[in-house]
């Protein structure tokens, strides 16, 4: 019985030491904390809001330009009419 204790006790201590070292040296949980999740969510919502603002501004600019500037077809028509007037005035 005494020999069994002399063999098992060091084996148990050795196993516990190896387990403790493996646990201490293993990488920690790489999951995101609640604060990191909140920061990522906030950044994503901010980016979506910014994209929506850019899209709305682009659409508003297009509407403004379409009402203040004549289209290329209209410009071409006016230049054709002006050339026709010059041509008829020369005759």
């Amino acid at each position: 019985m005494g020999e069994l204790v002399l063999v098992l006790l060091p084996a148990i201590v050795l196993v516990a030491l190896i387990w403790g070292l493996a646990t201490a040296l293993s990488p920690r949980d790489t999951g995101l904390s609640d604060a990191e999740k909140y920061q990522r969510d906030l950044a994503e919502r901010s980016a979506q809001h910014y994209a929506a603002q850019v899209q709305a501004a682009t659409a508003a600019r297009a509407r403004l330009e379409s009402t203040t500037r004549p289209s290329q077809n209209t410009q071409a028509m006016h230049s054709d009419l002006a050339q026709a007037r010059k041509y008829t005035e020369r005759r």
Side-chain angles (χ1 to χ4, degrees):
M1 182 76 178
E3 294 175 4
L4 187 63
V5 172
L6 286 175
V7 172
L8 286 180
L9 187 61
I12 292 172
V13 170
L14 183 62
V15 168
L17 182 65
I18 291 172
W19 176 81
L21 285 173
T23 303
L25 297 177
S26 66
R28 300 288 184 250
D29 183 22
T30 58
L32 296 176
S33 68
D34 289 341
E36 289 171 326
K37 289 177 186 177
Y38 175 74
Q39 287 293 326
R40 286 191 180 190
D41 182 49
L42 188 64
E44 182 179 335
R45 286 188 287 145
S46 176
Q48 288 173 353
H49 178 70
Y50 178 74
Q53 283 184 325
V54 168
Q55 186 177 14
T58 304
R61 182 176 180 182
R63 283 193 307 272
L64 180 64
E65 286 185 0
S66 70
T67 58
T68 58
R69 294 183 183 175
S71 70
Q72 291 179 353
N73 293 337
T74 307
Q75 289 176 354
M77 185 179 72
H78 287 300
S79 67
D80 289 345
L81 288 175
Q83 287 177 357
R85 285 185 193 139
K86 286 182 185 177
Y87 181 75
T88 55
E89 288 174 1
R90 286 189 208 160
R91 286 186 157 196

